[in-house]
Amino acid sequence: MKASADLQNILKAIDRKGYPAYKDTRGSYSFGQYELSIDHVQGDPFASPSKVSIHVEGKAAGFPKECYERKERRIAMQDYLLRLFGSEADKYNFKAKGSGKSGLLSVSRCGQEVLERTACVIVPESGAIVLRLEIGFPANGRTICAPELEKILFDFLPRCIQGVLFYSMLNKEEVKHTLFLADDRYYIREHLAEMGLAAFVANGSVLPRESGISDRPMKNSVLFASPKSMEVTMKLPHKGEISGMGIKKGITLIVGGGYHGKSTLLKALELGVYDHIAGDGREYVITESDAVKIRAEDGRSVTGDDISLFVNNLPGGKDTKRFHTEDASGSTSQAANVVEAIESGSTLLLIDEDTCATNFMVRDELMQRVVHRDKEPITPFIERARFLYEENGISCIIVAGSSGSYFNIADCIIQMDHYRPEEITDFAKEEAKAFPAVSLPGDIPAMPDYERIPVRAVKAIEERKGNNYYAQKYGRGGKNRNGENAEGNVREPEHTKIKGMGKESVVLGKETIHLHYVEQLVDAEQAMALGYILAYAEHNMFNGQENLREIVNKLMELVEKKGLAAVVQGSYLPSGLALPRKQEVFACFNRYRSLKIGK
Ligand code: ADP
Ligand code: MG
C-alpha cells in the first residue's frame, strides 16, 4: 500500500492539470491509524462526486466486542457512528472551494429509522470499521485545484475520523444508551410471539409526527396510553418494566371518529417493523417484523399472481389463477397486494380504509340482494379474513371508521377517542347482534399457489449479450439507425444502469419501477439497494428454474451472510445503500413490468 506522502506527491504533480488527471489518485493510502481508499474518481466537477472509503482495523478502532458481536447491537452502533460522522462532516462541507460539487463532503443522511447501510460497516469478526463517503474533488472551472483536495484529505477528514472511529474518543454514556436501547427493542421483538402479540405500543409513546413532511415527533402531543384491558407489562433487560398496549394476533379493528388518531396509530404500527432512534417517540412501538401495509394501488402491473382467493369469474373469462394486467383496478391491485404479502411470508396485514378499494373490503346486505353473488367477481376481504387467520395464521389490523360490518368477525375492537384508545369489543359485538351478520360464502377457499417462475432474464440477456443480436441487426462495429455505434450499444447485462429517484422509484435500464405506494419503504437508499438486488436477480437468478419465493429467499440469505456487497456488481461498493426488508424486495420485483413469468 502507498503512503499518504505518495498521495501528496500525486496531488502536487496533477495540480492545475485538466480534471481527468484526478484519476491518478485512485488507490489506497496508509494514514497511520487508518487507510484512505479513493475508490472512484468523478469525471468532472459537476458529475456525481468521488467515492472514498476509510478503513480502520479492529485493533486501532478499539471497540469492545460487546459493541458489535450481536447483530442488533452492531446495526445500532453503525447507525450511531454514521450519524456522528455526518454531523462532523457537515462542519467541513463546502469549506473547500471551487466549481460544481467542489468541496462537497457527505455521508448518508439517516432518518428516524435505524437501518443497515453500506455507508458504515463494522466487520463482526474483527471489529474493523469501514466508512464510505462522497467527496467533490475541487476544481476551478475544469482545472484541478489540488491544494483544496489536500485540505480535505489531510485536514478536514482526519479531524472527522479522529472523533468518531476510535472508541476511546466516544462519549461512553451515549454509546451505552445506544446499545441498551438496541437490546431492549430486540427483547420486545423476540418476545412478541410468545406473548401471542402482533404488536406492542408502549405507554408514553409519541405517535404523531411534526407535519406531513417531517418525520420528527410532534411536540405537545397526547401521549399514548393503553386501554387497561389490553395492557401488558414486560421486563426489559435495561429499562426494566415497561407497560403498553398489546395487540393480540387475530383480527383487530381500529374504529373512531374522523381525526381521532386512527391512521396515526396504524402508521406507527407500519413503521414498527423498524427500530427508531432515541428521542423519536416510537422507540418502543414494535410490530411483527414481517408486517405488510396493504392498500389499493390502481394502475400497477400484476404478473402472474393467483388472486382467485378474492377474484373469480372476471368478464371475458380472464384467468385469475394466473392474473396478468398492466393496469390493475383498485380492487384487483389490492387483492394482488394481499396475495403477494402472503407470498413474502407476512403474518400480519395492516389496512387503512383511507387507502382501500371499498369493494375489496365489504359488500353490504342490500348490495348482495340487488347484485347477486354470481354476478360479482370479487369476494371481499371481510369474507376471507377469518379463513386467513384461522387456517393460515395471518392476522390483520384494520382501520375502519365507516363500516360496522367488521364488528362481527373481529377479535378485538379499539376505539380511538381524542387520540386515546379504548377497548370496546364487548359493547360493539352486543350492538352488532341487532344487525344481520356477514354471510360467509359456503366454499372452502384454497390458498394461492406460488409457482411463479421468472423466465425473463434468459431471453433478455440472450438478446442483450447481443453481439449476435445487434451485430445481426446492424453489422459488427457498424452504425445503427441512430448513427450510434452498434457495439457501444451492446450493454453487457452486468452493467444494467441503476438510478435512484428518492424513495418514490428506482430506474433499472429503461424501466422505472414505481415504489411510491410501497409505504414501508422508508429511505431512498433502500430503493437504490432494491435496484441492485433486482439487477442481480435478473442476471443470475431469473432463469426459469426457481419460483419467485425461492429466489427472494436465496437472495435474502446471501445478503444476510455477505452484506449488500454480494449483490453489487462493479469495482467498488457504493456508499448510499440501505438494506430493505424481504417484504419490500418482493414488492419491488412484483412491480417490475419487465418481469416475465413462466409455467
Ligand atoms: P383519523 O385517521 O382518525 O381520521 P389521523 O390519525 O389522521 O385521524 O389524525 C388526525 C390528526 O391528529 C393528524 O393531524 C395527527 O397528526 C393528529 N394526531 C394524531 N394523534 C395525535 C396525538 N396523539 N396527539 C396530537 N395530535 C395527534
Ligand atoms: Mg385516517
Side-chain angles (χ1 to χ4, degrees), residues 513-530:
I513 302 153
H514 295 278
L515 302 168
H516 180 72
Y517 294 124
V518 181
E519 295 183 5
Q520 288 162 297
L521 195 73
V522 289
D523 197 288
E525 294 197 350
Q526 287 180 313
M528 195 65 193
L530 284 174

Side-chain angles (χ1 to χ4, degrees), residues 424-449:
I424 57 159
T425 312
D426 294 340
F427 171 69
K429 292 248 177 206
E430 193 56 40
E431 290 296 305
K433 277 185 187 154
F435 291 80
V438 208
S439 52
L440 294 177
D443 65 323
I444 298 167
M447 284 299 274
D449 86 62

Side-chain angles (χ1 to χ4, degrees), residues 363-587:
R363 228 154 79 78
D364 72 12
E365 185 66 19
L366 180 55
M367 188 57 88
Q368 302 221 14
R369 277 189 216 171
V370 174
V371 178
H372 193 259
R373 203 176 264 286
D374 300 346
K375 293 273 190 311
E376 171 56 71
I378 293 164
T379 307
F381 188 76
I382 193 168
E383 296 181 14
R384 295 295 192 226
R386 287 239 62 95
F387 163 76
L388 284 179
Y389 177 58
E390 279 160 23
E391 304 297 321
N392 301 282
I394 297 164
S395 302
C396 55
I397 301 176
I398 306 171
V399 170
S402 63
S403 165
S405 316
Y406 275 86
F407 287 152
N408 273 308
I409 64 148
D411 297 306
C412 174
I413 303 164
I414 301 166
Q415 179 179 359
M416 292 305 287
D417 184 5
H418 293 83
Y419 314 128
R420 288 176 214 282
E422 286 167 35
E423 199 205 334
I424 57 159
T425 312
D426 294 340
F427 171 69
K429 292 248 177 206
E430 193 56 40
E431 290 296 305
K433 277 185 187 154
F435 291 80
V438 208
S439 52
L440 294 177
D443 65 323
I444 298 167
M447 284 299 274
D449 86 62
Y450 287 116
E451 289 304 310
R452 297 193 293 152
I453 299 186
V455 293
R456 166 188 151 80
V458 184
K459 204 159 156 280
I461 290 178
E462 284 294 291
E463 280 179 9
R464 271 188 284 168
K465 266 205 182 134
N467 283 332
N468 20 39
Y469 178 72
Y470 283 102
Q472 272 167 23
K473 215 164 173 186
Y474 308 118
R476 243 179 186 284
K479 303 263 188 248
N480 70 14
R481 253 166 278 168
N482 305 322
E484 293 155 345
N485 188 309
E487 278 201 313
N489 224 347
V490 179
R491 274 183 176 277
E492 276 304 312
E494 284 73 18
H495 297 135
T496 305
K497 209 166 174 193
I498 301 160
K499 211 169 97 199
M501 315 265 275
K503 58 178 181 169
E504 304 297 303
S505 55
V506 60
V507 182
L508 196 70
K510 284 186 182 148
E511 185 183 330
T512 303
I513 302 153
H514 295 278
L515 302 168
H516 180 72
Y517 294 124
V518 181
E519 295 183 5
Q520 288 162 297
L521 195 73
V522 289
D523 197 288
E525 294 197 350
Q526 287 180 313
M528 195 65 193
L530 284 174
Y532 279 96
I533 294 173
L534 177 53
Y536 179 87
E538 181 166 75
H539 297 144
N540 300 291
M541 302 169 102
F542 292 175
N543 52 16
Q545 302 297 316
E546 293 168 297
N547 65 43
L548 204 59
R549 211 178 203 174
E550 292 163 337
I551 289 174
V552 177
N553 284 339
K554 261 195 189 167
L555 268 171
M556 294 315 286
E557 237 172 72
L558 180 70
V559 171
E560 176 83 17
K561 241 192 237 145
K562 301 194 174 158
L564 276 167
V567 297
V568 173
Q569 337 232 332
S571 54
Y572 65 96
L573 181 62
S575 62
L577 303 179
L579 192 65
R581 295 187 308 160
K582 180 185 178 180
Q583 276 66 35
E584 279 67 45
V585 174
F586 267 101

Side-chain angles (χ1 to χ4, degrees), residues 82 136 147 165 189 200 211 233 236 246 310 360 370 397 441 445 490 506 551 569:
L82 188 56
L165 301 186
R189 225 175 259 295
F200 174 80
S211 74
T233 300
L236 304 184
F310 301 106
F360 179 77
V370 174
I397 301 176
V490 179
V506 60
I551 289 174
Q569 337 232 332

Side-chain angles (χ1 to χ4, degrees), residues 88-110:
E88 286 300 308
D90 274 352
K91 296 181 193 160
Y92 302 105
N93 195 14
F94 289 116
K95 282 278 152 44
K97 302 285 183 220
S99 47
K101 298 199 173 100
S102 291
L104 172 136
L105 188 62
S106 88
V107 287
S108 300
R109 297 231 164 255
C110 307

Side-chain angles (χ1 to χ4, degrees), residues 205-212 218-224 254-267 352-354 399 401 416 418-420:
S205 294
V206 178
L207 305 189
R209 300 293 95 190
E210 198 168 60
S211 74
M218 179 188 274
K219 295 187 185 83
N220 307 319
S221 69
V222 176
L223 299 184
F224 189 84
I254 301 171
V255 302
Y259 221 70
H260 279 255
K262 303 183 295 297
S263 296
T264 303
L265 171 58
L266 194 79
K267 190 86 216 163
D352 190 334
E353 64 176 2
D354 289 357
V399 170
M416 292 305 287
H418 293 83
Y419 314 128
R420 288 176 214 282

